Amino acid sequence: MSHHFIESLKWRYATKSFDTNKKVSAEDITTLKESINLTATSFGLQPFRVVVIDDPALKTKLRAASWNQAQVEESSHVFVFASKLDMSPDYIDDQVRRAADTRGIPYEALSGYGDFMKNTMADKDAAFIQDWSRRQAYIALGTLMAAAAELRIDACPMEGFDAAQYDEILGLKGKGLTAAVIAPVGYRSAEDKTQHAAKVRLPLEEMFL
Ligand SMILES: Cc1cc2nc3c(=O)[nH]c(=O)nc-3n(C[C@H](O)[C@H](O)[C@H](O)COP(=O)(O)O)c2cc1C
């Protein structure tokens, strides 16, 4: 791993206040989207979708549903990770077909693996599926944070919001989704004192057993 990457991780912090005059470029937003889409997920099933919001009125609404945390409104864009509520055989089949098409191999060559995934999921209850989907979304959150840091774009990972209100505002339930975690992104405000605070982390010898 390059030194570079560790420098990026030291540069980033959970940004509390964004510069409202600065917007992330469309090109950089596309790069961030790509980083999320390239994230590894269990079975490659990508059991979440992401809503990217830059509409000011919508951000104001979401702030009210986020314990009034200013980041949500002041950021350039808000990434809302919405995890799947169920995992149907049809959904799995679509992914198997995509794999067959992408790799130019017959569907039949992959259907055994598809059946294995379907059987694995059929054994699980809704609570397990929802928890599992949420965990996959968090992996993507991590990738987004790292990609943003590499681009020197600020972000704040956030769980401090009301998922039911987000689901309502963004119409997620009807799509079989629920808001799992969010990340406002943008550029730090010069006034955000948090940027000067030293990182608080365990010593490596305590973290690694
Ligand atoms: C899943 C998750 C949820 C978080 N939720 C919030 C939040 O709602 N509001 C907030 O200001 N910070 C939130 N944080 C930021 C953490 O407090 C912060 O990442 C941690 O204190 C470490 O500091 P650093 O990220 O600046 O290095 C969250 C972080 C993570 C990873």
Side-chain angles (χ1 to χ4, degrees), residues 12-14 16 69 71 138 156-160 199 201:
R12 66 147 298 279
Y13 73 106
K16 308 294 176 200
Q69 295 187 82
Q71 303 94 303
Y138 273 72
C156 188
M158 292 177 65
E159 286 177 325
K199 279 232 174 290
R201 294 295 192 271

Side-chain angles (χ1 to χ4, degrees), residues 11-18 71 145 154-158 184 188 192 194-195 199 201:
W11 174 86
R12 66 147 298 279
Y13 73 106
T15 307
K16 308 294 176 200
S17 179
F18 288 92
Q71 303 94 303
M145 306 278 299
D154 286 295
C156 188
M158 292 177 65
R188 62 188 67 173
D192 187 357
T194 325
Q195 67 192 289
K199 279 232 174 290
R201 294 295 192 271

Side-chain angles (χ1 to χ4, degrees), residues 3-21:
H3 263 329
H4 235 111
F5 185 60
I6 295 298
E7 283 313 308
S8 295
L9 293 181
K10 287 179 176 168
W11 174 86
R12 66 147 298 279
Y13 73 106
T15 307
K16 308 294 176 200
S17 179
F18 288 92
D19 184 336
T20 52
N21 296 313

Side-chain angles (χ1 to χ4, degrees), residues 11-14 33-34 38 49 58 68 71 78 88 103 107 112 114 123-124 141 145 148 157 164 173 175 179 192 202:
W11 174 86
R12 66 147 298 279
Y13 73 106
K33 285 178 174 174
E34 198 151 23
L38 284 168
R49 296 294 180 266
L58 198 46
N68 197 33
Q71 303 94 303
V78 181
S88 68
R103 294 181 170 165
Y107 169 80
D123 283 346
K124 312 287 194 249
L141 169 75
M145 306 278 299
K173 273 261 150 64
K175 298 189 170 82
D192 187 357
L202 294 171

